[in-house]
Amino acid sequence: MIVAGVMSGTSADGINVALVRVSADTGRVSRPSPHKHLDFTLLGHEEFPFPAPVRRAILGMMNAELARVADLSRLNFLLGELYAEAVAKAARKHRVKLDLVGCHGQTLYHQGVAERFHGRKLAATWQTGEGAVIAARLGVPVVSDFRPADMAAGGKGAPLVPFVDYLLFRDRHRNRGVNRIAQNIGGIANLTAIPAGAALGQVLAFDTGPGNMVIDAVMEELFGKHFDRDGKVASSGRVLDGVIARLLRAPFFRQKPPRTAGREEFGREYVSRFLEICRGASNADVVATATALTARSIADAIQRFVLPRFGSPRKQGGHAMIVSGGGAKNPTLMAMLRNEIASLGIELHFSDEFGLPAEAKEAVAFALLAHETWHGRPSNVPSATGAKRAAILGKISYA
Ligand SMILES: Nc1ncnc2c1ncn2[C@@H]1O[C@H](COP(=O)(O)OP(=O)(O)O)[C@@H](O)[C@H]1O
Ligand SMILES: [Mg+2]
């Protein structure tokens, strides 16, 4: 079947649509290893930036202390329309007839860890973008709202992409196989570590920390730009090592996986503290330091939590990182990251080398997750989210 995967991440830069042909031995729902034969072809990928006022509205409502219920409700329907238009345009351009859509939606709030609320300890998450609208406009069923089912099963609702990373990037050979780390750098950076020959249950996945979020915010604040195009500003600055060392001492970076992050951790408040700590430095140095924070926090997390699981590279085929997400387009960030992980014995690669354009991976992931849901199969990875059991993810809107 042909499935469109729709992703719009915490960067709120726009909508990514991946058109995927999935051919699967659908098997029976209860088979012990039902995903073994999932196979797919990427038919096309398109990116649609949000109109500026919509981006402003989304950024304003994420974690807002104050937002009007009417506006939140309207945003849900507006995004439904925009997602549907994006999918329709992509499908027309690539001349494909869709069978199903998987839409992640726009996260307005994510709190993976339970906190007290009116007498109960609860975790909560909210992705908006009305599936019923998408289904009605496109005339095909839509799977949306993937995260709550994992949380209801005791998980943190994130990360969900590890299921797909495992299918795409694992090295099946235990002997002399390559240990792989799928590293996505969106607003937040997250990784999936897949030891050579590992079963799905042995996959480790967690958020390493900021991806582009701090860089973008600092660029907005100091240069009035959405992001540091091609890493130009960062490449002209010097990294403030003392600042990085201080920031990496924060509890988040020491927290053991599973762990998740969002604008709650690295949004507005974090950035104003970051700017305060950098006071007196040149603007370019501040951007270089924000960029280095991403690279070093990734390497730091790998050293602490991933390498101990991988064992000695000499006995195996080595370690490789496969980068995806918008951060892959920032050469300064990539140079810093390559340098950081080289000292850990890890080679840097791009998902493009595996046939997946860096900016398309997450959208592809939600196409495959929707496919699994449609066939009644679970697709969370309990070892990654901390869920007590496997769960079928998402809600289905019928056309
Ligand atoms: N040419 C580029 N140079 C530098 N950074 C880029 C470039 N293209 C994209 N990015 C970064 O990638 C971000 C978007 O990444 P994306 O993977 O879409 O994140 P999200 O999933 O959070 O939406 C942008 O906000 C920007 O920081
Ligand atoms: Mg994006």
Side-chain angles (χ1 to χ4, degrees), residues 7-16 47 50 106 186-187 326 359 362:
M7 181 66 201
S8 63
T10 45
S11 299
D13 54 325
I15 305 170
N16 295 81
E47 209 161 351
F50 281 126
Q106 187 69 47
E359 64 280 11
E362 295 220 313

Side-chain angles (χ1 to χ4, degrees), residues 1-5 17-22 41 43-44 87-101 135 137-141 399:
M1 70 195 298
I2 297 183
V3 190
V17 180
L19 305 167
V20 182
R21 174 180 291 117
V22 191
T41 318
L43 302 173
V87 174
K89 272 191 198 149
R92 221 177 304 131
K93 179 163 172 193
H94 293 276
R95 298 165 192 270
V96 301
K97 204 178 153 306
L98 294 172
D99 300 303
L100 183 70
V101 173
R137 298 296 172 264
L138 298 172
V140 293

Side-chain angles (χ1 to χ4, degrees), residues 203-276:
V203 161
L204 174 70
F206 60 95
D207 288 351
T208 53
N212 302 295
M213 190 175 280
V214 178
I215 308 170
D216 286 359
V218 165
M219 283 301 297
E220 190 78 59
E221 186 71 28
L222 302 177
F223 295 90
K225 299 258 166 65
H226 288 347
F227 65 102
D228 181 17
R229 187 175 292 280
D230 304 332
K232 286 269 162 52
V233 177
S235 73
S236 70
R238 270 179 325 136
V239 176
L240 308 169
D241 290 306
V243 170
I244 302 278
R246 181 170 161 191
L247 293 171
L248 287 181
R249 282 199 292 271
F252 175 84
F253 295 112
R254 277 177 289 166
Q255 199 181 312
K256 284 208 187 92
R259 67 184 198 198
T260 65
R263 282 196 186 271
E264 299 74 12
E265 285 76 16
F266 298 103
R268 263 185 294 257
E269 282 166 47
Y270 187 86
V271 169
S272 49
R273 259 185 297 131
F274 176 82
L275 288 171
E276 187 60 39

Side-chain angles (χ1 to χ4, degrees), residues 16 46 55 65 132 142 148 150 157 161 203 223 282 322 338 360 365:
N16 295 81
E46 297 295 323
R55 178 164 199 263
E65 287 294 326
V142 175
D150 178 78
V161 177
V203 161
F223 295 90
S282 78
I322 304 158
R338 182 178 282 115

Side-chain angles (χ1 to χ4, degrees), residues 8 15 17 31 56-57 73 78 114 144 254 271 325 352 361:
S8 63
I15 305 170
V17 180
R31 263 184 23 186
R56 267 197 304 278
S73 175
L78 172 64
S144 60
R254 277 177 289 166
V271 169
D352 308 63
K361 192 188 89 170

Side-chain angles (χ1 to χ4, degrees), residues 100-181:
L100 183 70
V101 173
C103 181
H104 173 270
Q106 187 69 47
T107 297
L108 289 184
Y109 184 71
H110 185 80
Q111 178 213 314
V113 182
E115 283 173 26
R116 263 212 177 284
F117 182 70
H118 296 313
R120 292 248 179 161
K121 273 192 93 180
L122 300 167
T125 191
W126 189 8
Q127 284 74 46
T128 189
E130 185 48 58
V133 172
I134 308 171
R137 298 296 172 264
L138 298 172
V140 293
V142 175
V143 183
S144 60
D145 217 7
F146 290 84
R147 299 191 189 276
D150 178 78
M151 293 175 88
K156 291 182 195 297
L160 298 182
V161 177
F163 172 77
V164 176
D165 285 332
Y166 178 77
L167 294 176
L168 295 177
F169 300 130
R170 76 189 140 140
D171 188 332
R172 290 168 197 255
H173 307 96
R174 191 179 297 277
N175 291 325
R176 309 214 62 81
V178 181
N179 298 310
R180 297 208 170 114
I181 299 169

